Amino acid sequence: MSLNPFYNPFFLLKILKNYFIDINNLRRFNDDQLKQFRDKKFRKIIRYAFTVPMYKELYEKAGIRVEDIRGLSDIYKLPIISKEYIKSYYPDGLIPKNKNKDKFVTVSTSGTTGKSLSIFVDMFDIIMGLFGYLRTVKEYDLNWRKHKISIIGDFAPNTAETGYVKKGLFPKAWFQSYLKNLQWLDTNDKPEKIIEELNSFRPDFIGGYTGMLGHLAVLKEDGFGKNIKPSVIASTGSLLDPTLKKYISNIFNAPVFEVYGTTETGPIAFQCKEFGKYHVMSDLLHVEFIENNRIVSSKEPGHILVTKLYGGGTPIIRYNAINDIVSPLYEKHNCGLAGDLIEKIHGRDSIYLYRRDGKKVLAMSITGIFSKLLYELKTSKFRDIKVIQHDIKKFEIQAVIDEKLRNEGPSVDKIFSVLKNGFQDYFGNDIIIEAKEVKNVSRKEPRIITKVDPGKFKETGYI
Ligand SMILES: [Zn+2]
């Protein structure tokens, strides 16, 4: 028989203790207590990392001993880890030598940029990741034991959610009974199906991907989902521009906040109720913000490095391949939560278009152009969109039309003209835009690509 940790009562106790104590860490700790807690967790993770070949070999080569790392102030002694480095040790080098990889669940990052990465997580990672998410539910005055929670995840094969939830949690009977107030929906289903299921479940909390939430808001405005009256909505997975956020919030008559996380790290940050600032889950993670080998200043965009302070699968320590551009906020604000703050999440570093002044226009801004289709034109007629920048002045927009909606609402030409205006606002009135219908767009590469040669002009920062 297998030694499933869930048959072990001590493991269950550990989970419960972690839930009842840890979920409040950011509320109950002051800065000093949080620092001590983090340093202790960090030392433990470093000791664990020395049992994992990928880290052991790297650290020994750099002449680092376990005792050199006494707290997070020593983190700079450790080399930064790239995605390629982790991949080179897959699979056996990513877990302790004496552990069997069948005891872990594999999760993979999305392969849309052709750089998919697989790592191992254990039950403890999975539970803590879920607690991180449930913590946000609690911050918005809901109780997951009493209130109904709908989570619209990406349950396609090999996604993080499939690994964490379907392979990790669903097979556990206790999970099904303990968390029966949770409804799990698949964002790969059509919005029309999702809204029906939400309508019969009547959730108090809806968590989902930004795009799906937008589509649901359009349907709701059209009169679907009359029973859906959540008291709060959480958006994950991609960027939510302020106007789209307001639209979703108005339609559902509920506040919308963002949870920021990744496959490799679990939840990283969430927006607080009072001020909407992003609070890093600093008891679970340590974050660094670096651009050109230098720590960025407050509100300055930079690459985020993440260190996970918990877990028993593949450790994540000074991991640089989240590839998001994020601005930290080095200020105090008084909502009673301890830990680090993020001012703004700008989007993937690989997804941008060039403006002629050398600035990279990041996904956050480009998303704003497209979300107008939802909140101004109220249409979900475009099922998929791709933008190719051929040169500094020439853009191509490809759109996949939903045939069922073709003759409803604004015409395709009207939609294209709204998009053209949006692009002109950002890139100038003299740009050339070719907009056309296509049958489908390739999922192998990002939806936004530029062919502009960066060697030909000076990059001057981000927008
Ligand atoms: Zn706050």
Side-chain angles (χ1 to χ4, degrees):
M1 63 165 266
S2 79
L3 285 172
N4 187 322
F6 281 94
Y7 297 132
N8 179 340
F10 292 104
F11 186 79
L12 277 174
L13 277 177
K14 188 177 164 195
I15 286 172
L16 290 176
K17 175 188 162 294
N18 271 294
Y19 174 68
F20 289 114
I21 296 176
D22 286 354
I23 207 161
N24 284 321
N25 277 348
L26 297 178
R27 287 247 166 249
R28 73 191 174 102
F29 285 151
N30 62 31
D31 289 346
D32 280 347
Q33 289 166 322
L34 181 62
K35 181 185 180 308
Q36 279 187 28
F37 179 89
R38 282 157 49 82
D39 283 343
K40 195 174 144 196
K41 294 274 180 202
F42 184 52
R43 287 192 298 269
K44 198 176 159 195
I45 279 293
I46 294 299
R47 283 199 300 278
Y48 175 65
F50 268 91
T51 70
V52 176
M54 169 177 99
Y55 287 99
K56 185 175 158 58
E57 285 167 26
L58 183 73
Y59 292 168
E60 281 179 356
K61 215 163 117 192
I64 295 154
R65 298 162 306 167
V66 177
E67 55 271 28
D68 294 334
I69 308 298
R70 281 161 302 182
L72 281 161
S73 57
D74 291 322
I75 199 168
Y76 303 102
K77 296 175 183 171
L78 301 172
I80 290 170
I81 303 282
S82 68
K83 196 172 269 188
E84 289 68 32
Y85 182 75
I86 298 182
K87 278 173 115 170
S88 72
Y89 277 86
Y90 181 83
D92 295 320
L94 305 189
I95 50 170
K97 262 202 163 118
N98 56 352
K99 293 266 173 76
N100 181 343
K101 55 180 183 296
D102 299 338
K103 294 273 185 288
F104 298 93
V105 172
T106 310
V107 295
S108 304
T109 60
S110 70
T112 45
T113 52
K115 285 199 218 162
S116 170
L117 171 78
S118 295
I119 58 163
F120 296 99
V121 295
D122 72 351
M123 269 307 145
F124 193 61
D125 281 298
I126 293 173
I127 298 286
M128 288 307 285
L130 182 64
F131 285 175
Y133 199 76
L134 292 176
R135 156 187 284 166
T136 65
V137 173
K138 192 164 188 243
E139 280 297 320
Y140 282 80
D141 303 322
L142 293 178
N143 179 338
W144 55 272
R145 305 295 313 274
K146 277 198 293 201
H147 294 106
K148 288 184 173 178
I149 314 246
S150 291
I151 295 173
I152 312 164
D154 184 355
F155 292 112
N158 300 320
T159 63
E161 285 100 318
T162 301
Y164 280 105
V165 178
K166 289 215 162 146
K167 293 182 198 156
L169 293 172
F170 272 5
K172 314 289 177 248
W174 69 267
F175 175 76
Q176 303 276 12
S177 64
Y178 204 62
L179 299 179
K180 59 178 179 296
N181 286 338
L182 264 68
Q183 179 192 44
W184 301 89
L185 301 170
D186 190 344
T187 200
N188 299 298
D189 285 337
K190 292 230 159 181
E192 291 80 3
K193 181 174 179 229
I194 300 281
I195 205 156
E196 285 308 316
E197 299 196 42
L198 290 171
N199 198 48
S200 31
F201 188 69
R202 303 183 183 210
D204 301 293
F205 176 98
I206 300 174
Y209 286 94
T210 311
M212 174 56 78
L213 295 173
H215 286 303
L216 292 174
V218 170
L219 287 172
K220 173 101 172 149
E221 199 180 18
D222 278 352
F224 294 92
K226 289 215 165 17
N227 298 325
I228 306 173
K229 290 167 185 161
S231 44
V232 59
I233 295 172
S235 161
T236 53
S238 67
L239 305 158
L240 185 56
D241 80 277
T243 332
L244 179 60
K245 183 177 193 166
K246 212 170 149 200
Y247 171 68
I248 298 171
S249 179
N250 286 342
I251 297 293
F252 284 100
N253 193 24
V256 176
F257 74 100
E258 285 170 76
V259 182
Y260 173 53
T262 69
T263 303
E264 303 94 306
T265 62
I268 297 174
F270 65 100
Q271 285 185 297
C272 71
K273 188 177 166 188
E274 259 182 291
F275 303 99
K277 293 292 179 201
Y278 297 91
H279 286 263
V280 177
M281 306 216 185
S282 294
D283 57 334
L284 303 179
L285 309 146
H286 176 67
V287 288
E288 300 169 72
F289 304 93
I290 293 185
E291 194 64 22
N292 301 323
N293 298 316
R294 163 183 79 76
I295 298 170
V296 302
S297 50
S298 191
K299 300 185 185 179
E300 185 191 344
H303 281 84
I304 183 168
L305 288 191
V306 176
T307 298
K308 230 173 97 181
L309 301 175
Y310 67 97
T314 306
I316 297 294
I317 301 168
R318 298 205 89 198
Y319 177 63
N320 82 343
I322 289 174
N323 303 118
D324 279 336
I325 303 295
V326 176
S327 306
L329 179 65
Y330 306 139
E331 277 172 19
K332 269 269 142 218
H333 85 127
N334 288 324
C335 74
L337 285 165
D340 296 323
L341 291 167
I342 287 172
E343 164 76 8
K344 194 170 175 189
I345 299 156
H346 303 267
R348 287 277 149 133
D349 63 355
S350 58
I351 299 178
Y352 56 83
L353 300 170
Y354 277 115
R355 208 168 68 173
R356 69 193 68 186
D357 59 1
K359 292 244 191 279
K360 284 179 174 178
V361 180
L362 291 165
M364 184 61 163
S365 306
I366 303 166
T367 311
I369 301 173
F370 288 103
S371 62
K372 275 191 184 162
L373 302 188
L374 282 171
Y375 65 78
E376 268 184 17
L377 297 178
K378 323 279 184 211
T379 177
S380 346
K381 187 177 294 197
F382 283 19
R383 277 290 175 222
D384 216 338
I385 290 172
K386 181 163 185 154
V387 181
I388 304 161
Q389 182 178 27
H390 291 284
D391 63 44
I392 204 75
K393 282 171 80 172
K394 192 172 169 219
F395 298 78
E396 178 183 340
I397 300 172
Q398 301 178 351
V400 181
I401 313 289
D402 188 328
E403 287 304 331
K404 276 192 208 143
L405 299 175
R406 179 179 290 280
N407 299 317
E408 284 176 33
S411 68
V412 172
D413 285 347
K414 169 75 185 163
I415 297 173
F416 278 143
S417 87
V418 169
L419 286 180
K420 282 182 183 174
N421 288 337
F423 272 82
Q424 283 169 344
D425 288 346
Y426 266 101
F427 297 94
N429 286 325
D430 57 341
I431 57 168
I432 301 154
I433 303 168
E434 187 199 351
K436 60 181 180 194
E437 272 187 46
V438 292
K439 282 272 165 281
N440 50 55
V441 299
S442 163
R443 285 192 159 216
K444 289 257 152 51
E445 52 188 21
R447 301 294 203 286
I448 295 167
I449 38 181
T450 183
K451 294 185 172 169
V452 172
D453 179 0
K456 289 208 174 131
F457 66 111
K458 196 174 175 295
E459 289 184 19
T460 55
Y462 301 109
I463 289 192

